[in-house]
Amino acid sequence: MATGGTGQRYVNAAVIVSAFASSLTLVVVLVALYVGYQQMTENEAIARGNAARQAFRSYLDLAVRSPAFAVPDYDAIKRNPRDQSLYETFVTFMLQSCEYAMENFEDDAIKAACETHIGRHARLFCDTFTDDSISNYDAEAIGDRIVKAVTEAKGQARECTDAKVDELRRAVRDLKDEE
């Protein structure tokens, strides 16, 4: 009997086709996984961006409802311990909202708005912020803007001394070294 007849050729062809189909299926599965991963990553970025926008909108809403804190009379606020505590909480919320917004989407208008809002609170930063206070925030997103605000306030606000500016600048530099 002869081996390798017509039946054997069909079996060999079927094995080759089956192997090709399995390989093609594997490629399709890998492409589908990659596309799914890309979509998941994109959706996550969109969700973070939307959450960041909402956080910043919430801060702006609070600023509109609390104009005494949004554009502070720091001397008047300091005279009332309750107002001082509420004001510090307001500023913390502002800093966290700005940090979250700046980290999660590129929007120069938001960055400029945050810088303006942060600048309004330089006296609080000079008066109460320490290395520990700065370490609660991202050095690039918030730390640099706080240093800019206190540097610009130096000479205009009695709390913003050269020593305080240097202390906050050093704290931000240390944070950047840790990152």
Side-chain angles (χ1 to χ4, degrees):
M1 277 200 191
T3 60
T6 304
Q8 186 63 38
R9 277 187 277 185
Y10 288 130
V11 169
N12 289 345
V15 168
I16 291 171
V17 167
S18 177
F20 177 75
S22 295
S23 298
L24 185 60
T25 302
L26 179 62
V27 168
V28 168
V29 166
L30 291 175
V31 167
L33 286 173
Y34 176 76
V35 168
Y37 174 77
Q38 291 297 102
Q39 285 178 335
M40 186 176 69
T41 302
E42 185 176 317
N43 288 342
E44 186 177 296
I46 290 169
R48 276 194 320 270
N50 288 337
R53 280 182 194 85
Q54 183 57 45
F56 191 68
R57 281 188 201 115
S58 294
Y59 158 69
L60 291 176
D61 181 53
L62 180 62
V64 167
R65 289 186 287 121
S66 307
F69 295 151
V71 183
D73 176 351
Y74 192 61
D75 293 323
I77 290 170
K78 278 184 70 166
R79 286 192 291 271
N80 183 331
R82 180 178 177 275
D83 284 352
Q84 177 77 18
S85 178
L86 290 171
Y87 174 59
E88 289 174 5
T89 301
F90 174 89
V91 171
T92 299
F93 185 65
M94 175 206 54
L95 292 173
Q96 290 173 342
S97 297
C98 284
E99 178 180 40
Y100 193 54
M102 287 188 276
E103 287 177 348
N104 287 293
F105 61 95
E106 293 295 321
D107 188 336
D108 291 335
I110 296 292
K111 290 177 182 178
C114 283
E115 198 163 295
T116 298
H117 287 255
I118 289 170
R120 293 178 183 153
H121 307 284
R123 288 186 66 192
L124 174 70
F125 303 138
C126 291
D127 197 23
T128 65
F129 265 48
T130 63
D131 295 5
D132 290 336
S133 304
I134 292 285
S135 69
N136 292 321
Y137 304 99
D138 179 79
E140 296 287 332
I142 299 300
D144 285 342
R145 285 168 173 83
I146 290 173
V147 168
K148 180 180 180 189
V150 299
T151 301
E152 289 174 357
K154 190 174 66 172
Q156 299 169 7
R158 63 184 170 277
E159 297 88 358
C160 295
T161 63
D162 288 334
K164 188 62 172 189
V165 171
D166 290 342
E167 174 191 346
L168 295 176
R169 185 176 285 131
R170 195 173 31 259
V172 170
R173 188 176 52 244
D174 291 348
L175 264 179
K176 287 180 180 180
D177 290 345
E178 290 175 11
E179 294 172 355

